[in-house]
Amino acid sequence: MAGGGFVDPGAAKRAHLYEYKITSYFVLSCIVAALGGSLFGYDLGVSGGVTSMDDFLKEFFPKVYRRKQAHLTETDYCKYDNQILTLFTSSLYFAGLVSTFGASYVTRTRGRRASIMCGSVSFFLGAILNAFAVNISMLIIGRIFLGIGIGFGNQAVPLYLSEMAPAKIRGAVNQLFQLTTCLGILIANFVNYGTDKIHPWGWRLSLGLATVPATLMFVGGIFLPETPNSLVEQGKLDEGRRILEKVRGTKNVDAEFADLVEASEAARAIKHPFKNLLQPKNRPQLIIGALGIPAFQQLTGMNSILFYAPVIFQSLGFGSGAALYSSIITSTMLVVATFVSMAVVDKFGRRFLFLEAGCQMIFSMLVLAVILALKFGHGVTLPKGYAVVLVIMICLFVAAYGWSWGPLGWLVPSELFPLETRSAGQSVVVCVNLFFTAAIAQCFLVSLCHLKYGIFLLFAGLIFIMSLFIYFLLPETKQVPIEEISFLWENHWLWKKYVGTSSAV
């Protein structure tokens, strides 16, 4: 079996005894926690829009502004090739990847809720610094605070949602993180579209409004319950059972609570969770969840399109207003696609969405490359008909990403790790994700300048490789209780060779 997509039903221990109801307490808890995604999304959306605004460029990047105004004759791909400008974006993600290791300690010892609240405070401070920045140094320091906030939020929120959710709807619940991320992107694009007309300080309003989701997340976090998994992990068994009963809406939680206690006992035996990730029994989680999926999520090229959608559209001949408007279209597609994913992920499964989207994304990238190779560059404005096709292809690409690598890039890693390595594993996930996010952000514009349309061919090739990765290495995890995911590796054609018993460290 190439994909290892089946699991022996006899392997599960108590899953068939789990009971739950969808309570208002559960729904509200997940909605509040998922607001963490809006921090990530708002920054993704607002950064690209601000870096294409003339007032922002005049104040901080005058050379880029002059180059933008001059009609380049050598190539139109290089208007925004400036490493300091891209550092404005990527510095946030470098800060996030470092902070996630501190977030791992807080998440494990103080709980998921504590990390969520720490993230909101740091993000708020960063937004204030950016809004009132008077030089590039102040901008970068603000971005670092934003990055710390995202590092904490992205570390804790996917874990929180996966642990709170019943197994049968875990996919849809976890994707609330992606939904709020996409809504944050969409709102940011609307904000940019409006503030672009406010001269000369509209960009300050765009950056400063990041304080709104941070405030909502902090205030909501005050009333947020800790996950039962985390409470049991901290030794608070009575409180853990009480919250589990309240979240599940039933007193009959003996089976699920017994699994949590058993997992917690295994977790307490682990003194060095990061070192334990290197054990052979954790090889599948390390390669698939901690390294492969978070890296590939960024290597799709999607975040480059989100960062620089206004810049890309301007480079391809769209006016400033048209560029921001096109960004609104693509971010709307992302929101719609996330709803599609939430509706079908627990029915059709993770593998199906990954593989279908891979085909769609490769097709879109190839068409983009062909159009740009034939009709764009050297001072020639892209013909209207081809520009429309280009926007459609970008929308198809965004839609495919929106129901696959976008939400599943956070869902699948968050459900693969056992409790004893879950916070450490999620830290590696966030670190790898943000490292590749920062690297792509820092390299994309210079790559667009030098590779031209070839950058889209490169992304198409990478998506083909990552689709093979999913087909051969990822088992299907839909509706499998999170504490019993480990049984999947024992039935996989490859991973069963590595998951024998090994000592805890």
Side-chain angles (χ1 to χ4, degrees), residues 5 50-51 88-89 148 191 247 262 266 273 287 299 349 396 415 446 453:
V50 165
T51 52
F88 165 74
T89 297
I148 293 171
V191 169
V247 169
E262 188 174 301
I287 292 176
L299 292 174
L396 285 176
E415 61 188 7
V446 68
Y453 60 86

Side-chain angles (χ1 to χ4, degrees), residues 144-255:
I144 290 172
F145 274 99
L146 291 172
I148 293 171
I150 286 178
F152 272 80
N154 287 14
Q155 209 277 343
V157 173
L159 288 186
Y160 186 96
L161 295 173
S162 286
E163 291 181 347
M164 291 291 274
K168 290 185 178 180
I169 58 170
R170 186 174 63 247
V173 171
N174 184 276
Q175 290 188 15
L176 286 171
F177 178 75
Q178 177 69 8
L179 178 61
T180 56
T181 300
C182 296
L183 288 172
I185 294 168
L186 179 60
I187 292 169
N189 282 320
F190 276 113
V191 169
N192 284 338
Y193 187 72
T195 59
D196 188 45
K197 300 175 176 61
I198 303 174
H199 303 289
W201 54 271
W203 62 270
R204 294 187 184 275
L205 183 58
S206 286
L207 295 176
L209 285 175
T211 57
V212 175
T215 301
L216 291 174
M217 187 169 148
F218 180 82
V219 173
I222 295 173
F223 305 98
L224 199 66
E226 187 54 81
T227 69
N229 310 60
S230 180
L231 291 169
V232 171
E233 186 180 19
Q234 296 174 57
K236 302 175 182 178
L237 300 185
D238 292 339
E239 187 178 357
R241 183 180 179 103
R242 179 180 65 81
I243 295 297
L244 183 62
E245 291 175 354
K246 196 170 183 180
V247 169
R248 297 291 180 256
T250 176
K251 295 286 187 180
N252 191 11
V253 295
D254 292 344

Side-chain angles (χ1 to χ4, degrees), residues 439-460:
I440 294 295
Q442 193 67 26
C443 297
F444 177 74
L445 290 180
V446 68
S447 299
L448 181 66
C449 178
H450 292 286
L451 296 178
K452 303 178 177 62
Y453 60 86
I455 189 69
F456 299 105
L457 294 176
L458 175 62
F459 284 135

Side-chain angles (χ1 to χ4, degrees), residues 39 43 91-96 99 118-130 137-153 214:
L39 306 184
D43 184 81
S91 58
L92 178 149
Y93 303 100
F94 285 120
S99 69
C118 286
S120 65
V121 171
S122 181
F123 198 87
F124 183 92
L125 294 175
I128 293 295
L129 282 172
N130 273 184
S137 297
M138 196 170 174
L139 272 180
I140 299 300
I141 293 172
R143 297 290 290 174
I144 290 172
F145 274 99
L146 291 172
I148 293 171
I150 286 178
F152 272 80

